[in-house]
Amino acid sequence: MADQSDWKVRPFQRPKNPQDWPLTPQCESGYLATSNSGWRTLWPQILDNCNSCGLCFVYCPDGAIAKGENDFPYVLADWCKGCGLCAKECPKDAIRMNEDDQK
Amino acid sequence: MSVQFLSGNEAVAHGVRLSRPRVVAAYPITPQTVVVERLAEMVEDGDLAAEFVHVESEHSALALVMGSAAMGVRTFTATSSQGLLYMAECLYYTAGGRWPIVMMNANRALALPWNIYGDQSDSLALISSGWIQSYAETAQEALDLVIQSYAIAEDLRVRTPVLVNLDGFVLTHTYEPVDVPEQEQVDAFLPSPDFPVGYPGTFNQENPQSLAITAGPGDYTVFKFKQHQDMVAAAGPIREVDERFIQHFGRGVAGLTEGYQLDDAELVIVTLGSIAGTVRTVVDELRTEGVKAGLLRLRYLRPFPTAEVLAGLFGPQRSAKVAAIGILEKDISFGHQGTVSLEVKAALYEAATQGALPPAINFVAGLGGQEIGLADIRRFFTALAEAAQGQQKPLVQFLGMEHAQ
Ligand code: SF4
Ligand code: SF4
């Protein structure tokens, strides 16, 4: 698996000439051309009572949750749009949506 | 090559079989059903090595072949009328994703009132969806267009899906002798049905791609600009494929339009689809009576053949001036004119700077399966002759409603 600390926005270098753009709306995987963080007003904070069940990892619609040491989840700042779905789904109430302090 | 007695639908099925798609998914709908039935039989009999997928709707049919195309294989689907409209979302999706899908559409009226007979309002409603659109005149041309469509759609310069239209019943269900090429001939004409590794818009294990990506406000425009540019430029590859087809199979038409008795015609009917055959017959009759009638048939509506239309009507090869133009179509864009009329007139504007344009009448006929007879087309030419002499005529005329307009 790729080094998750690298999971940052890799800015898409927009070519000047339209002919140099991708031939279809596609992109090498691993890119996020625009950060989702601008959509966010709340930020999911993962609390200590998390038992690493992995549900939030599965449910996050943007794949913004990664698994860290011992599968303890952490949130990718550029990718999370702050929807709160993870907090809603967490069976342990181990995610708290706070004021966004990551931007 | 063997000559078989085939309906338009059967000719399409043979064209598809010979093109060897790897995946076929379609939902049966009158008057397209026979295409799906024949293809199912061909797969069952081992004449076509394709995955034939039963789907619960037209929306699913096109979504399914879109996914298959993204896996890198040739695909086919077919629909008609309400089914095409139900697919509408996926039409834009596939065109935007630039997947080289080929679809047959049996042109049929749209509800309400409920009507299962032929007219062209279904495909014309989706003319802006980003699909190349062609219209067959005969079953032979339908078979040929299917094979040509794969060559066009998969061309790296084009990468755009193609909708091949056949008039419902009048063409889908009538029989004619059709030259069915041998498999080896078609294999030599088309590339492999398995796209090369790295073909745009396909999954790639070595170099993983995110397909069907999001593009924000500025980037979206670039993709749409390219889609438009490539569609406009597709006229070139279409002509190349036509010419290669003629060389390879010894028949066909080169170009997005076809003229008949056009170069010295004073009264010209511009039309599309199977009704062109009836217009040819009337042109022949009128010619024996000394009337300089002619036909300009639109084989493709997207990309719109502006240059060819202008050349056909005003080009230097002409020996007479066009005195009146009739645009005959089985469609009405409510509140304005028929869609084809709007398209043709937009092209004519390009010629308006060169001088006054002749009068043009939009003949809306054949709606919901209405029969268009020889006598009707004669009346259209008479109306054009009167318009050419300066008589004021309604710009849009519905066949059968003369007493009311
Ligand atoms: S807030 Fe939404 S986007 Fe962010 S990690 Fe949770 S589920 Fe994913
Ligand atoms: S769903 Fe809750 S308990 Fe499970 S891993 Fe995510 S934060 Fe932890």
Side-chain angles (χ1 to χ4, degrees):
Chain A
M1 191 181 260
D3 176 5
Q4 290 158 353
S5 59
D6 275 0
W7 286 13
K8 292 263 176 208
V9 171
R10 282 204 273 159
F12 175 57
Q13 301 299 333
R14 288 167 178 77
K16 276 232 160 57
N17 184 348
Q19 298 318 318
D20 299 331
W21 281 56
L23 291 174
T24 70
Q26 71 181 62
C27 194
E28 190 189 324
S29 295
Y31 270 88
L32 186 65
T34 330
S35 165
N36 286 343
S37 59
W39 303 9
R40 202 167 61 214
T41 54
L42 297 176
W43 167 254
Q45 181 195 358
I46 308 206
L47 306 176
D48 289 346
N49 64 323
C50 161
N51 68 356
S52 302
C53 73
L55 272 181
C56 56
F57 172 84
V58 174
Y59 272 110
C60 171
D62 279 52
I65 293 182
K67 288 182 189 173
E69 214 170 308
N70 299 322
D71 285 345
F72 196 86
Y74 66 95
V75 182
L76 304 168
D78 285 335
W79 302 63
C80 170
K81 63 189 174 190
C83 67
L85 211 141
C86 52
K88 189 86 183 163
E89 292 296 337
C90 172
K92 306 289 285 181
D93 276 338
I95 302 183
R96 185 189 296 149
M97 299 305 289
N98 287 330
E99 281 291 303
D100 186 4
D101 57 357
Q102 302 292 314
K103 281 191 274 190
Chain B
M1 212 176 277
S2 68
V3 176
Q4 298 183 31
F5 197 53
L6 299 177
S7 70
N9 275 342
E10 290 170 347
V12 167
H14 279 287
V16 173
R17 170 182 62 78
L18 291 164
S19 305
R20 298 189 194 267
R22 294 289 195 224
V23 178
V24 175
Y27 191 85
I29 176 170
T30 302
Q32 152 268 37
T33 308
V34 175
V35 177
V36 186
E37 287 175 349
R38 288 294 172 276
L39 286 170
E41 288 165 9
M42 288 166 177
V43 172
E44 183 72 17
D45 295 346
D47 294 333
L48 171 58
E51 194 78 37
F52 188 99
V53 191
H54 297 275
V55 283
E56 72 279 29
S57 76
E58 288 87 355
H59 189 281
S60 304
L62 188 49
L64 191 143
V65 295
M66 174 166 66
S68 307
M71 293 305 295
V73 294
R74 186 171 295 157
T75 57
F76 178 77
T77 185
T79 191
S80 178
S81 180
Q82 310 295 135
L84 185 70
L85 292 202
Y86 189 21
M87 280 180 178
E89 178 184 47
C90 295
L91 274 136
Y92 283 79
Y93 224 102
T94 43
R98 312 291 298 271
W99 283 293
I101 296 162
V102 172
M103 169 154 65
M104 172 267 193
N105 180 55
N107 279 130
R108 171 185 136 180
L110 298 170
L112 281 171
W114 188 251
N115 181 301
I116 61 160
Y117 299 100
D119 76 27
Q120 294 155 335
S121 42
D122 52 1
S123 55
L124 292 175
L126 286 160
I127 194 167
S128 300
S129 64
W131 281 58
I132 291 173
Q133 285 201 359
S134 62
Y135 291 80
E137 179 178 346
T138 62
Q140 181 73 67
E141 190 178 36
L143 183 150
D144 296 351
L145 276 173
V146 169
I147 298 169
Q148 293 161 4
S149 296
Y150 283 109
I152 294 160
E154 294 169 12
D155 187 312
L156 272 175
R157 297 166 293 175
V158 181
R159 304 180 329 280
T160 295
V162 180
L163 187 70
V164 180
N165 291 283
L166 280 76
D167 282 299
F169 293 107
V170 178
L171 185 52
T172 58
H173 283 60
T174 52
Y175 280 73
E176 64 180 83
V178 176
D179 255 342
V180 181
E182 299 299 329
Q183 185 65 65
E184 300 76 60
Q185 283 180 288
V186 179
D187 286 349
F189 183 77
L190 287 179
S192 162
D194 303 311
F195 304 156
V197 174
Y199 186 88
T202 61
F203 287 104
N204 184 345
Q205 296 266 24
E206 302 308 315
N207 178 22
Q209 301 283 302
S210 298
L211 302 182
I213 56 167
T214 300
D219 301 345
Y220 182 86
T221 302
V222 180
F223 285 106
K224 290 295 140 183
F225 173 79
K226 282 165 63 77
Q227 200 182 334
H228 172 65
Q229 293 286 93
D230 292 350
M231 170 77 102
V232 170
I238 290 172
R239 243 172 258 122
E240 286 170 26
V241 166
D242 283 343
E243 277 156 20
R244 202 157 60 78
F245 191 92
I246 293 169
Q247 277 187 355
H248 199 85
F249 296 94
R251 61 162 181 272
V253 182
L256 288 75
T257 66
E258 183 189 24
Y260 183 68
Q261 301 279 26
L262 185 60
D263 285 348
D264 66 340
E266 290 166 358
L267 310 175
V268 177
I269 284 189
V270 181
T271 193
L272 69 172
S274 59
I275 194 63
T278 319
V279 176
R280 277 172 211 270
T281 305
V282 176
V283 166
D284 287 344
E285 287 176 10
L286 290 173
R287 287 275 168 167
T288 64
E289 297 161 24
V291 179
K292 285 192 165 178
L295 161 72
L296 177 62
R297 179 169 73 96
L298 304 169
R299 296 180 70 229
Y300 283 83
L301 276 196
R302 282 291 181 276
F304 192 81
T306 301
E308 283 191 35
V309 167
L310 294 186
L313 295 175
F314 310 108
Q317 81 291 356
R318 295 197 55 89
S319 57
K321 261 186 105 155
V322 175
I325 301 167
I327 300 116
L328 169 59
E329 63 188 296
K330 303 174 179 178
D331 168 72
I332 177 69
S333 179
F334 304 104
H336 204 178
Q337 309 173 12
T339 303
V340 181
S341 178
L342 295 171
E343 294 281 332
V344 170
K345 285 184 178 174
L348 294 186
Y349 188 87
E350 309 294 321
T353 49
Q354 295 157 26
L357 288 172
I361 302 176
N362 182 200
F363 299 109
V364 176
L367 295 185
Q370 181 191 43
E371 193 179 324
I372 310 171
L374 296 170
D376 299 319
I377 291 173
R378 265 182 170 268
R379 276 205 303 279
F380 298 157
F381 275 113
T382 305
L384 290 182
E386 290 166 359
Q389 283 155 16
Q391 277 190 34
Q392 288 297 314
K393 295 276 173 192
L395 289 177
V396 182
Q397 300 188 13
F398 278 61
L399 175 61
M401 300 303 294
E402 291 77 8
H403 56 288
Q405 51 201 13

